[in-house]
Amino acid sequence: MADEVILLDFWPSMFGMRTRIALEEKNVKFDYREQDLWNKSPILLEMNPVHSKIPVLIHNGKPVCESLIQVEYIDEVWPGINPLLPSDPYQRAQAKFWGDYIDKKVYASARLTWGAKGEEQEAGKKELIEILKTLESELGDKIYFGGETFGYVDIALIGFYSWFGAYEKFGNFSIEAECPKLIAWGKRCVERESVAKSLPDSEKIIKFVPELKKHFGIE
Amino acid sequence: MNQDEQVKVLGLWGSPFSKRVEIVLKLKGIPYEYIEDVYGNKSPMLLKYNPIHKKVPVLVHNGRSIAESLVIVEYIEDTWKTSYMILPQDPYERAMARFWAKYVDEKVMVAMWKACWGPKSEREKETKEAYEGLKYLEKELGDKHFFGGETIGFVDIAADFIGYWLGIVQEASGVTIMTAEEFPNLQRWSKEFISNNFIKEVLPPKQKLATLLKAQFGSVTSD
């Protein structure tokens, strides 16, 4: 029996992008279902009752929630192709540490670059640059975070790369000026088919931000 | 090389995060050297081994360090494939365990903490969140002995705060959210959890913990 894989997602979500990329890396055919987050569907509420958030991966009727948990799940279910996590326990732990770091740090400060004004916005910009510099330092001279092969940490971060243009425009600053190696990494990742298929155009995100602000009641 | 060589845990005696690591090492029968960090004063060793977050626990194994308690727990599971395994084999069950462990870590513990010690203006909101979070866990646990089924597993270890610290925090702060009447499953589970011989060995003494909590956070209650 063929696997039935459904992804409940929202096109600008940097978290949803992770799961899309992981599925593409594994050549898994999936049914992408765009969700209206301002009007949540019954299936979303049923499949993620605890958080009501996307992405939700539904594999043969069973839901898996939380993007990095989904990435790991996908790696475990379809191990034969493009491993996403290293097999060495120490390297795995390092990958998970950085995935956790990205999860805990990037979104909150990034949001302030477009969602806040004045001092709060400046603080957000400063913090985001510090966080990205830390990540850039971790990347070092490697091609990808995992070394020679594209994997978990790259997947955890690359969705944010599609938002960099928006952060720069609305925050009025340059990420490339501060983190050129990270930008170079982003460009390399986007050359991968799985990433190119999964990331929206930067321009589209920039156009989306005013709509997002309106929804949150931010001017 | 002997895998058991050079396992060190840098921790704080009162920290549930720190204890998660010790619990899993005990359950798996892995010998380790415990090094106490200092409350309110981050040691050079901590800054060396966890420069990013500067927090305990840190595991040092064969000279290499790993930080973040749940990452450490999974590392231990991956490295010492002994007969006692804390995660299931099935990928879906593993994903569920990770989901609930994360839920405990990021939602329930945070909300509970803020409900007990946070700014008064936010307590009502945090109490509601903590209550709802505990209700989800109550339901997830159901009739099972442990979140892991018959034996203590990943989620149980992640929820050590709820198993032991919560009762003490509620008493010390005067805020009661988890009651036996409303949460019979969690109540039963916590009794079983803390009576486990390995876990008993590492839990901090109740009175000492209560004193520490009051000293650290008690002054925050007036706001």
Side-chain angles (χ1 to χ4, degrees), chain A residues 49-51 62-66 69 72-73 76 89-90 92-94 96-98 100-101 103-104 134, chain B residues 50 52-53 64-68 71 74-75 78-79 91-92 94-96 98-100 102-103 107 136:
Chain A
V50 176
H51 300 297
K62 298 200 289 189
V64 180
C65 303
E66 296 299 314
I69 294 176
E72 197 167 0
Y73 173 79
E76 289 181 5
Y90 180 74
R92 277 179 95 83
Q94 292 311 105
K96 287 192 165 182
F97 173 86
W98 287 106
D100 176 74
Y101 177 85
D103 254 3
K104 284 189 165 105
T134 301
Chain B
N50 189 1
I52 301 291
H53 296 303
R64 298 191 301 186
S65 63
I66 298 129
E68 288 303 305
V71 174
E74 287 222 46
Y75 170 78
D78 283 345
T79 306
Y92 187 76
R94 290 162 78 84
M96 287 301 105
R98 288 175 179 134
F99 174 86
W100 288 110
K102 186 178 168 135
Y103 187 69
K107 295 284 180 193
Y136 273 119

Side-chain angles (χ1 to χ4, degrees), chain B residues 104-139:
Chain B
V104 165
D105 220 23
E106 295 183 2
K107 295 284 180 193
V108 185
M109 278 176 79
V110 174
M112 272 304 324
W113 201 256
K114 288 183 179 173
C116 293
W117 311 110
K120 279 205 167 138
S121 53
E122 288 186 18
R123 289 224 194 133
E124 203 185 312
K125 171 180 157 247
E126 296 298 338
T127 301
K128 185 167 174 275
E129 266 199 55
Y131 182 85
E132 278 171 14
L134 288 169
K135 276 287 172 188
Y136 273 119
L137 291 174
E138 174 79 5
K139 187 176 169 206

Side-chain angles (χ1 to χ4, degrees), chain A residues 76-100:
Chain A
E76 289 181 5
V77 172
W78 292 280
I81 172 178
N82 290 338
L84 304 177
L85 275 155
S87 48
D88 170 69
Y90 180 74
Q91 299 303 333
R92 277 179 95 83
Q94 292 311 105
K96 287 192 165 182
F97 173 86
W98 287 106
D100 176 74

Side-chain angles (χ1 to χ4, degrees), chain A:
Chain A
M1 194 188 86
D3 278 312
E4 185 201 50
V5 181
I6 297 167
L7 181 65
L8 306 182
D9 200 351
F10 181 50
W11 70 267
S13 165
M14 56 289 266
F15 305 102
M17 289 173 210
R18 294 165 171 177
T19 315
R20 289 173 227 165
I21 293 168
L23 289 167
E24 293 287 352
E25 284 284 317
K26 302 288 188 176
N27 283 340
V28 173
K29 296 275 169 283
F30 63 100
D31 173 8
Y32 178 95
R33 296 194 192 168
E34 190 67 38
Q35 299 298 299
D36 178 356
L37 296 189
W38 320 146
N39 200 7
K40 293 181 179 180
S41 66
I43 188 175
L44 175 56
L45 299 172
E46 185 199 333
M47 290 290 159
N48 191 357
V50 176
H51 300 297
S52 308
K53 280 181 172 179
I54 57 91
V56 182
L57 179 73
I58 310 170
H59 184 205
N60 295 330
K62 298 200 289 189
V64 180
C65 303
E66 296 299 314
S67 57
L68 290 181
I69 294 176
Q70 291 161 356
V71 171
E72 197 167 0
Y73 173 79
I74 290 163
D75 201 36
E76 289 181 5
V77 172
W78 292 280
I81 172 178
N82 290 338
L84 304 177
L85 275 155
S87 48
D88 170 69
Y90 180 74
Q91 299 303 333
R92 277 179 95 83
Q94 292 311 105
K96 287 192 165 182
F97 173 86
W98 287 106
D100 176 74
Y101 177 85
I102 291 162
D103 254 3
K104 284 189 165 105
K105 298 279 198 179
V106 183
Y107 185 81
S109 55
R111 196 182 185 284
L112 296 174
T113 64
W114 57 263
K117 284 195 193 136
E119 264 180 51
E120 216 192 337
Q121 187 185 37
E122 288 307 307
K125 282 157 66 175
K126 187 162 173 268
E127 217 194 313
L128 179 64
I129 292 295
E130 268 171 39
I131 291 161
L132 293 178
K133 281 190 161 164
T134 301
L135 288 165
E136 195 180 53
S137 172
E138 173 56 23
L139 174 68
D141 290 319
K142 303 195 297 278
I143 301 173
Y144 300 113
F145 279 91
E148 301 281 311
T149 46
F150 179 79
Y152 186 85
V153 182
D154 307 285
I155 293 173
L157 187 60
I158 195 61
F160 289 97
Y161 178 78
S162 71
W163 277 77
F164 279 4
Y167 302 149
E168 288 175 322
K169 176 162 195 238
F170 292 94
N172 195 26
F173 68 126
S174 164
I175 296 175
E176 181 151 20
E178 303 276 1
C179 306
K181 278 185 165 169
L182 203 61
I183 299 298
W185 160 85
K187 287 180 177 156
R188 279 197 294 278
C189 289
V190 173
E191 284 171 14
R192 260 186 113 71
E193 200 184 332
S194 64
V195 178
K197 274 179 156 178
S198 307
L199 258 54
D201 207 44
S202 211
E203 279 307 310
K204 210 176 163 194
I205 302 273
I206 290 171
K207 287 201 179 91
F208 170 69
V209 171
E211 188 191 317
L212 191 62
K213 285 171 79 159
K214 199 169 145 196
H215 177 82
F216 285 123
I218 309 166
E219 267 151 51

Side-chain angles (χ1 to χ4, degrees), chain B:
Chain B
M1 187 201 291
N2 179 4
Q3 236 169 204
D4 294 344
E5 274 171 18
Q6 297 284 329
V7 179
K8 298 187 205 208
V9 176
L10 183 60
L12 283 171
W13 64 265
S15 160
F17 304 101
S18 193
K19 291 302 176 185
R20 287 169 174 170
V21 175
E22 290 197 80
I23 287 170
V24 76
L25 288 168
K26 289 280 182 197
L27 287 169
K28 284 178 159 309
I30 300 158
Y32 62 95
E33 182 194 343
Y34 177 79
I35 301 160
E36 180 72 29
D37 197 53
V38 181
Y39 272 103
N41 200 13
K42 297 176 198 254
S43 66
M45 189 176 177
L46 178 64
L47 300 175
K48 175 185 171 191
Y49 285 121
N50 189 1
I52 301 291
H53 296 303
K54 306 180 178 64
K55 285 180 173 174
V56 296
V58 181
L59 185 85
V60 184
H61 181 211
N62 295 328
R64 298 191 301 186
S65 63
I66 298 129
E68 288 303 305
S69 61
L70 295 181
V71 174
I72 297 170
V73 169
E74 287 222 46
Y75 170 78
I76 295 166
E77 175 83 339
D78 283 345
T79 306
W80 284 275
K81 293 190 194 308
T82 63
S83 55
Y84 197 107
M85 297 303 277
I86 57 153
L87 273 165
Q89 293 283 65
D90 172 68
Y92 187 76
E93 298 303 318
R94 290 162 78 84
M96 287 301 105
R98 288 175 179 134
F99 174 86
W100 288 110
K102 186 178 168 135
Y103 187 69
V104 165
D105 220 23
E106 295 183 2
K107 295 284 180 193
V108 185
M109 278 176 79
V110 174
M112 272 304 324
W113 201 256
K114 288 183 179 173
C116 293
W117 311 110
K120 279 205 167 138
S121 53
E122 288 186 18
R123 289 224 194 133
E124 203 185 312
K125 171 180 157 247
E126 296 298 338
T127 301
K128 185 167 174 275
E129 266 199 55
Y131 182 85
E132 278 171 14
L134 288 169
K135 276 287 172 188
Y136 273 119
L137 291 174
E138 174 79 5
K139 187 176 169 206
E140 175 57 24
L141 177 63
D143 289 334
K144 302 196 294 277
H145 275 290
F146 301 105
F147 286 96
E150 286 303 305
T151 53
I152 288 170
F154 192 64
V155 182
D156 305 281
I157 294 167
D160 66 343
F161 175 82
I162 297 168
Y164 183 71
W165 275 255
L166 186 46
I168 300 165
V169 168
Q170 291 192 146
E171 231 180 270
S173 66
V175 177
T176 305
I177 299 173
M178 186 171 123
T179 61
E181 299 76 39
E182 297 248 40
F183 300 94
N185 294 337
L186 285 175
Q187 202 72 10
R188 179 211 5 108
W189 165 82
S190 83
K191 285 198 175 95
E192 271 205 71
F193 180 78
I194 64 175
S195 63
N196 175 281
N197 286 327
F198 297 106
I199 291 176
K200 255 195 279 199
E201 258 184 73
V202 301
L203 292 177
K206 189 175 167 188
Q207 208 38 60
K208 197 179 174 197
L209 186 60
T211 308
L212 174 77
L213 290 170
K214 281 184 189 150
Q216 279 198 322
F217 303 102
S219 56
V220 184
T221 59
S222 48
D223 170 327

